[in-house]
Amino acid sequence: MRRPNRTQKKRLFLFSKHKLLIIISGFVAAFFAMFILVGMLTSIDPNYRVASNTVKKWTNNVTEVHFLSLMMMENRIFKEALPEDQTPIDMWKVVFELGTNVRMHDVRSLLGRELPGFEMYDREILIAGEGTDYTNLTVESTPPLDIVLEEREATTPEEKDEEKPVEEQEKTTGDKDVVYIYNTHNRESFLPYLPDTDEPNDAFHHEVNITKVSEQLAKDLKRHGIGAEVDETDIGAILNEKGWDYSSDSYTASKEVVEAALTDNREVNFVFDLHRDSIRKDLTTIEIDGKSYAKIMFVIGGDNPNYEKNYALAEKLHALLDEKYYGLSRGVEMYGGAGRNGVYNQDVSENALTIEVGGVDNTMEELYNTTEVFAEIFSEYYWDAESVSGSNEEDE
C-alpha cells in the first residue's frame, strides 16, 4: 500500500491558504477604496461634481426606441413592440453621443463649446410661433444686483381705460383665488418710461415695472369670473438683504414666497411668473386688426422632472391664442442645462408657467392689450376644463 505524500498535501494546503488571504485582502482593500472614493466625491468643490442635470443631459436623447433596440439585441421578439414608423437605432451612434455629448443631428452641440456666446442657441423650441427661430428666442437680462436696485427717474405710465365688465358671468370662482401671479424679476421695467437710459440692461425700476402688468392681468381675469392673487414681494430687496446674487439666487428667493402662498391658499391651481424680455420691439410687438399688442412667450424649465405637465398647459394656451390672435404667441421654448436654473419654480405645480410678456421697448398700453386677450383665452380654457371636470364628477 502506497503511503500518502505528506509534503504534497502540505503544499496544497499552503497554496489554498495563500489564495484565501489574497481574496480577503482584495475585499478589504476594495471596501476601503469605495469609502475613500465616496468621501472624495462628496468633499470636492461642487463645481467639479457631476450634477444631476448633467446626468439628465447625458441621457436626454435616450428614448423608448433606444431601450427596445437594446433588448432586441438579446431577444428579437421585442421588434414586435417597435412602432411602425420607427427603425432600430444605431447603437454605435448612441454610444458616441452619450460619450461625447455631441449630437450627430444637431451641430449646435459641437459649436456651443467652440464659439463664444454660441451656447445661447443651445435651447429647444417646443412650439415655434409665427416668426420664431433660434435667432430670436428670449434673452434674460442678468446685470449685477446694484444695477437692478439703482434709483432711476421714471415717468408715470398711462392708465388703462377700464371697459365695461364682460356680460354677467354664469360661472365664477367667487371668493376663491385660483390663480397666483408673481414676479421673480419684479423690477424689470420698460425703456419708454425711463428717460435717462436706452440700454436694456439698465431697464429696472422699483415701481414702474412688470408688477403693473401682473396687477392688470389679475383685474382682467376677475372680469371673466376667475379670482387671482398678485404677490407684491420685492424680490430685489430680499436679495439685497441676504447678500444674494441676482442671476443665480432670484428663483431661490421667489420660491420661498410662492411655496408659502400655496400653503396658505390651497385653492390656487395655476401659478404664473411674469417677466419681460430683453429683446427689442420689432420682435416683441404685433399689430392685429389695427391694435398693437406685446407678444408673449412661454418658457418651460427643462430640468424640472415633471416639465411635461407644464408644457401641456403652455401648448394648449398657445393653440388657443393662435386660433383667435394669430402671431401673438411667440411659442414655447424649453430652457435648461448646465449653468442655468432649468426649473424656474415650475416644480411647485403642474400648472406653473414662466411667461415673457412683451419686451424692454413695449408700452403699458401694448402690455395691457395683451393681458386682456390672455385673460380671455385663459378663461375659455379654465371654464372648459371645469366643465369637463364637473361632468366627470357627475358621472361618478
Side-chain angles (χ1 to χ4, degrees), residues 65-67 69-70 73 88-96:
V65 176
H66 294 87
F67 289 114
S69 298
L70 282 171
M73 296 173 67
I89 49 89
D90 183 348
M91 293 308 302
W92 289 111
K93 178 181 175 182
V94 173
V95 171
F96 175 80

Side-chain angles (χ1 to χ4, degrees), residues 70-317:
L70 282 171
M71 288 185 277
M72 283 166 52
M73 296 173 67
E74 299 297 326
N75 189 340
R76 302 300 295 177
I77 195 65
F78 282 103
K79 189 174 182 179
E80 300 297 324
L82 197 68
E84 293 182 0
D85 59 340
Q86 296 283 352
T87 56
I89 49 89
D90 183 348
M91 293 308 302
W92 289 111
K93 178 181 175 182
V94 173
V95 171
F96 175 80
E97 291 186 357
L98 291 177
T100 63
N101 206 23
V102 174
R103 301 184 293 277
M104 300 290 287
H105 62 282
D106 192 348
V107 70
R108 293 172 301 151
S109 61
L110 175 62
L111 297 181
R113 299 190 186 94
E114 304 300 328
L115 300 180
F118 198 84
E119 278 193 341
M120 68 178 293
Y121 298 108
D122 191 14
R123 288 183 267 173
E124 184 174 351
I125 299 176
L126 299 177
I127 300 176
E130 174 65 22
T132 298
D133 57 39
Y134 284 107
T135 66
N136 54 27
L137 294 179
T138 57
V139 175
E140 188 174 1
S141 180
T142 55
L145 184 59
D146 59 333
I147 299 296
V148 176
L149 300 178
E150 184 179 331
E151 291 293 330
R152 295 180 177 85
E153 293 294 327
T155 58
T156 304
E158 59 274 20
E159 293 293 330
K160 179 180 173 68
D161 293 331
E162 292 298 335
E163 302 176 0
K164 295 180 181 179
V166 285
E167 297 179 5
E168 187 86 15
Q169 290 296 312
E170 295 181 2
K171 297 180 180 180
T172 176
T173 62
D175 295 331
K176 298 178 181 178
D177 290 332
V178 297
V179 178
Y180 182 77
I181 307 170
Y182 72 108
N183 308 100
T184 293
H185 296 153
N186 66 291
R187 296 200 179 202
E188 288 180 332
S189 188
F190 305 89
L191 290 176
Y193 307 101
L194 302 174
D196 297 333
T197 183
D198 58 0
E199 173 57 49
N201 286 330
D202 291 337
F204 295 91
H205 196 269
H206 67 286
E207 289 183 350
V208 181
N209 52 46
I210 189 65
T211 60
K212 290 189 174 295
V213 181
S214 295
E215 291 166 2
Q216 186 60 48
L217 176 58
K219 293 178 183 177
D220 292 330
L221 287 170
K222 288 177 182 178
R223 291 176 58 247
H224 290 275
I226 300 174
E229 176 186 351
V230 181
D231 176 66
E232 298 180 352
T233 305
D234 185 354
I235 301 299
I238 292 178
L239 295 173
N240 187 48
E241 179 184 338
K242 295 188 175 183
W244 286 359
D245 180 71
Y246 180 75
S247 176
S248 59
D249 298 319
S250 290
Y251 285 95
T252 302
S254 65
K255 187 170 188 177
E256 294 177 0
V257 174
V258 175
E259 289 181 330
L262 296 183
T263 299
D264 292 340
N265 184 3
R266 298 290 184 179
E267 303 294 341
V268 170
N269 195 30
F270 295 88
V271 180
F272 298 149
D273 184 7
L274 267 55
H275 295 249
R276 67 104 176 99
D277 209 336
S278 291
I279 60 177
R280 307 315 295 253
K281 188 165 186 174
D282 60 323
L283 297 173
T284 64
T285 314
I286 187 172
E287 187 173 304
I288 302 175
D289 296 331
K291 199 171 184 178
S292 187
Y293 297 86
K295 290 186 176 184
I296 65 175
M297 170 74 93
F298 299 99
V299 180
I300 301 299
D303 294 331
N304 172 18
N306 301 311
Y307 80 87
E308 291 91 349
K309 295 179 180 179
N310 307 116
Y311 171 52
L313 173 60
E315 182 182 27
K316 185 62 177 177
L317 293 177

Side-chain angles (χ1 to χ4, degrees), residues 51-62:
S52 59
N53 61 356
T54 303
V55 176
K56 182 179 183 297
K57 194 169 184 179
W58 287 345
T59 59
N60 194 45
N61 291 324
V62 180

Side-chain angles (χ1 to χ4, degrees), residues 32-43:
F32 282 102
M34 179 182 68
F35 277 92
I36 294 171
L37 179 61
V38 170
M40 291 174 61
L41 291 175
T42 55
S43 62

